[in-house]
Amino acid sequence: MMTSTGFLRGDSTIADQQEVPLTVAAAEEWIQRTCFSTGPAGRIGLELELLMGRIGDPSLQRPFADDNYRRLFSELRHLDVRGSLTLEPGGQLELSSHPEASLQELILSVHGSLKLLRAQAADLDAILVGAGVSPHLEPRRITQAPRYAAMEQYFEPWAPAGTTMMCSTASVQVNVEAGADDVEIRHRWNLLYSMGPVLAATFANSGWIGGRRSGWKGTRLAAWLALDPARTGVPHFSAAQDPGVSYARWALDAPLMMIRRVAGEWHAPAGLTFRDWLRLGTAVVPDRPPANLEDLQQHLSTLFPHVRPKGYFEIRYIDAQPGCWWAVPAAVVSALISNPAVSDQARGICAGSPDWEAAARIGLDDPGIASRAVQLMALAADQLRLDTSTRAIASQVEEYAEKWTLRGLSPADDDPSAWSDRDQGCALDGGIC
């Protein structure tokens, strides 16, 4: 959920002084410079979360013991994947790829890593499933890290959404460079938010929870929409203001979720914002030195906007996908941000689209969302066909659209009992992914 794929470029001078107390001005300046830094616009990465279960149980109906999650993870983490692996609070496995120079390189890299992971899991009588929410099992936290204990406690007022989000959900997080200059950063930031509801509905894959249909096509997104609005959703921005300035102020005004301590719980005083801690120091947190850069970095990792700036843009609104279909949202996002003309078309398609709640609840049952989804998929496929290196990926996008989008459907409309029969959507030669 919160793992970097290696884009982030910090400031070495400040990084060398992580324990030096911060001021409000220094914190705002660091966020602006670091979270919205420029870089080569073509680079792309992925964070794929997968649900783990028993072999022969593709819809994850049977309980998977806590020790099984940890044992499986301990075996998988030693594989030579191109990236890093993380065990998430409910036993989800997250593969965080290295950033790659092109979409084609990314898909080849992630495909190779997933092939290794799935094969090793099968040898251990386990499977890795791409779904936005575990469709049958009750959420439970299996990790004991103080970070996740504090997070669970913080989200208690928003039960059961908090536990569901932490322990039962999985996503495809597409990571793209913020942009080559300040103008491109602003345009990409706005575009990724404007396309969000349509893309979330297009790739919705979480229609079931607790063994029955939830009433939402995007139950995972619904959980996020039900959580603390001070740290989720769409940050409040002034149209006349630079996004880095707006985001820095929004971030510092978010309540603290946790405070690092050498020993004991990481709880934070209720309602205390990071800005308050910077200003008041030990007067409000007497058992800790004043906040420093490491505290700021941790606080930023507890903010969950639909698009999170981390020196690159982490797109968080797409459900995990079955089989190899994870490559399609990566390809669609890559194509739609590839040049200003295409981006302008995408923005025009999405103008006036329904809000996030409608996208999560109704999905492509809404005619307006469905029409926009078809147009975005066609635009992305056309753009991908212009490059010989991505024509096979264009075909995969078109196959996805034919299977679901053109029919007004998404993977959320598939019954979990039929998941074992789903087309895995592999566009590459050779083997599983």
Side-chain angles (χ1 to χ4, degrees), residues 339 342 380-391 394:
N339 67 64
V342 173
D382 288 346
Q383 184 64 22
L384 291 165
R385 285 208 173 277
L386 297 177
D387 189 331
T388 56
S389 69
T390 54
R391 285 177 185 167

Side-chain angles (χ1 to χ4, degrees), residues 59-61 133-139 160 164 168 206-215 219 416 419:
S59 60
L60 305 176
Q61 296 186 56
V133 168
S134 181
H136 293 286
L137 302 180
E138 292 296 317
T164 297
S168 293
S206 51
W208 283 64
I209 194 169
R212 60 184 182 274
R213 289 203 176 273
S214 67
T219 305
W419 281 5

Side-chain angles (χ1 to χ4, degrees), residues 90-165:
Q92 309 97 314
L93 179 74
E94 183 182 89
L95 168 65
S96 297
S97 80
H98 292 319
E100 302 290 351
S102 69
L103 174 66
Q104 182 190 35
E105 291 174 73
L106 174 72
I107 290 177
L108 288 170
S109 169
V110 173
H111 178 272
S113 294
L114 282 178
K115 188 173 180 180
L116 286 174
L117 291 168
R118 292 191 189 278
Q120 181 66 22
D123 287 344
L124 299 169
D125 296 322
I127 55 172
L128 304 176
V129 176
V133 168
S134 181
H136 293 286
L137 302 180
E138 292 296 317
R140 69 183 190 280
R141 181 168 62 88
I142 69 162
T143 56
Q144 304 306 315
R147 172 188 176 87
Y148 293 124
M151 184 180 293
E152 185 176 61
Q153 180 181 3
Y154 181 89
F155 280 136
E156 281 179 358
W158 293 275
T163 306
T164 297
M165 177 278 294

Side-chain angles (χ1 to χ4, degrees), residues 213-231:
R213 289 203 176 273
S214 67
W216 299 75
K217 296 300 179 77
T219 305
R220 186 188 70 89
L221 179 56
W224 280 114
L225 295 176
L227 290 173
D228 178 10
R231 65 188 338 104

Side-chain angles (χ1 to χ4, degrees), residues 246-391:
S246 294
Y247 188 80
R249 293 177 180 175
W250 179 81
L252 295 188
D253 287 333
L256 280 162
M257 176 181 283
M258 61 189 71
I259 295 175
R260 295 176 302 120
R261 293 179 174 87
V262 175
E265 296 180 350
W266 286 18
H267 65 273
L272 183 71
T273 69
F274 199 87
R275 188 185 301 277
D276 294 334
W277 190 20
L278 290 174
R279 286 174 170 169
L280 302 174
T282 54
V284 288
V285 186
D287 64 338
R288 262 292 316 272
N292 55 44
L293 178 59
E294 192 170 353
D295 294 311
L296 175 61
Q297 291 170 321
Q298 177 178 271
H299 175 65
L300 293 175
S301 78
T302 70
L303 305 180
F304 307 105
H306 295 319
V307 180
R308 183 161 60 178
K310 299 171 67 175
Y312 55 94
F313 290 155
E314 179 187 75
I315 302 163
R316 303 178 52 83
Y317 46 69
I318 297 172
D319 281 353
Q321 299 293 296
C324 292
W325 293 115
W326 54 265
V328 174
V332 169
V333 169
S334 176
L336 296 179
I337 67 171
S338 60
N339 67 64
V342 173
S343 296
D344 286 346
Q345 286 182 261
R347 189 178 292 105
I349 289 169
C350 295
S353 62
D355 62 17
W356 292 93
E357 182 175 348
R361 185 186 296 277
I362 307 170
L364 300 193
D365 286 348
D366 181 289
I369 299 177
S371 173
R372 291 175 173 90
V374 169
Q375 293 177 71
L376 283 187
M377 294 291 274
L379 178 61
D382 288 346
Q383 184 64 22
L384 291 165
R385 285 208 173 277
L386 297 177
D387 189 331
T388 56
S389 69
T390 54
R391 285 177 185 167

Side-chain angles (χ1 to χ4, degrees), residues 13 30 54 68 80 89 118 120 144 173 181 192 205 209 219 247 253-254 270 310 346 360 392 411 422 429:
T13 302
W30 189 89
R54 300 170 182 267
N68 286 349
D80 187 22
R118 292 191 189 278
Q120 181 66 22
Q144 304 306 315
Q173 294 177 14
D181 54 42
L192 293 173
N205 186 27
I209 194 169
T219 305
Y247 188 80
D253 287 333
K310 299 171 67 175
R422 287 208 275 199
D429 292 333

